[in-house]
Amino acid sequence: MADCIATRGAKPAISYSALHNLSNIYSEKKKKQAKKATGRFFEAERIIERRNGRESREYLVKWCGYPMSQSSWEPEENLNEVLLRSYDHPQPDMSRVEESCFARRTTIINGLKSSGVDVHLYVPFHLDVWRYLMQGKGEAINGGSKLYQKEDFDRFVDWPDHWSYIMNLHGTGRGIDFPIKVRPFLGKSCVKDFVVGDDGAIVKAPILYTEKLSIYFVKRACNPNNI
């Protein structure tokens, strides 16, 4: 799959234009054999996040066939144009979209049921899915957060109209007082500083990245007349 091929930890052996030219000559089988033979090209599953590096932008890449712990930050020049465009215009698999949407809806319901007026939640959420769902939406504020109105969530799959409130049989309930403040972020955790490697040597533990949303909203009383 030429569109998703990138180099990992090294500059490309050939230009991407040359790579695409090769794709017009060789069969799919020969392309896979060539990629395997070089040992330098890897298939990228998706771009998770980006940051400003010392010399250029860097992108955190999730590699096909590798666990999340093997994701790596790669300089911009190691990625082809298709991959770079996919950061701002991702096309995630719908199964991951549904998974993330369900997790967020469940978390909001639990927040509405909690005590207190102010609600601050953290929910696991694929960052590329968030960019896909919320592209062009929200009002930017400080710290990477945005304010969202209810209609901004119209692309969330399997969300009923009543997702923003809960109500009992007597018609009294609690709902979200929009806007909601949301900040997508990349957390990293490392249980131990060092671990025992496959060869028995003590090696530095890999950094484990977690994709999350920080969600803040205020609850208000509601009834059938003001939902």
Side-chain angles (χ1 to χ4, degrees):
M1 188 174 177
D3 287 349
C4 292
I5 292 176
T7 56
R8 186 177 182 183
K11 292 185 177 180
I14 57 175
S15 67
Y16 284 109
S17 59
L19 181 63
H20 287 293
N21 289 337
L22 285 174
S23 67
N24 296 325
I25 301 173
Y26 294 103
S27 65
E28 285 296 319
K29 182 177 180 180
K30 288 186 177 180
K31 280 192 294 180
K32 291 180 181 179
Q33 290 174 342
K35 182 179 69 173
K36 185 176 180 181
T38 63
R40 302 189 68 184
F41 291 100
F42 294 79
E43 186 177 346
E45 180 180 313
R46 61 190 177 97
I47 291 180
I48 301 169
E49 186 57 291
R50 72 181 175 192
R51 68 184 182 187
N52 291 324
R54 293 181 179 179
E55 298 181 358
S56 65
R57 274 183 173 174
E58 297 176 340
Y59 293 79
L60 182 61
V61 180
K62 170 71 170 65
W63 303 99
C64 286
Y66 290 86
M68 188 71 172
S69 60
Q70 294 297 311
S71 300
S72 60
W73 289 99
E74 300 295 332
E76 193 170 49
E77 60 266 24
N78 281 11
L79 309 179
N80 64 19
E81 293 181 2
V82 175
L83 275 173
L84 293 174
R85 285 198 302 269
S86 73
Y87 178 84
D88 290 312
H89 304 282
Q91 294 295 324
D93 182 85
M94 285 308 298
S95 62
R96 291 198 304 112
V97 175
E98 293 172 359
E99 173 191 340
S100 295
C101 289
F102 178 80
R104 190 176 186 280
R105 181 186 171 194
T106 302
T107 303
I108 286 180
I109 291 174
N110 291 336
L112 288 170
K113 291 180 179 179
S114 65
S115 60
V117 177
D118 298 82
V119 179
H120 194 181
L121 307 167
Y122 294 97
V123 54
F125 206 99
H126 296 299
L127 298 186
D128 61 318
V129 172
W130 179 256
R131 294 191 296 272
Y132 165 75
L133 292 171
M134 307 305 285
Q135 185 176 13
K137 299 179 182 293
E139 176 188 348
I141 56 176
N142 60 327
S145 299
K146 282 189 175 183
L147 298 178
Y148 296 95
Q149 302 295 334
K150 183 178 180 180
E151 57 268 22
D152 290 329
F153 297 91
D154 57 358
R155 297 188 67 185
F156 277 61
V157 296
D158 296 330
W159 273 31
D161 291 338
H162 60 267
W163 68 268
S164 60
Y165 68 90
I166 56 174
M167 190 170 293
N168 61 26
L169 186 62
H170 304 289
T172 58
R174 286 169 284 182
I176 296 173
D177 190 10
F178 288 93
I180 294 178
K181 183 171 77 170
V182 182
R183 179 177 64 89
F185 69 98
L186 185 68
K188 59 180 181 179
S189 60
C190 191
V191 178
K192 299 178 181 179
D193 291 331
F194 294 89
V195 295
V196 179
D198 294 337
D199 58 356
I202 303 298
V203 296
K204 189 173 180 61
I207 296 175
L208 304 179
Y209 292 101
T210 55
E211 303 167 82
K212 292 184 179 182
L213 299 178
S214 169
I215 303 171
Y216 174 81
F217 62 86
V218 176
K219 290 184 287 186
R220 63 176 178 83
C222 66
N223 58 57
N225 297 319
N226 70 346
I227 57 174

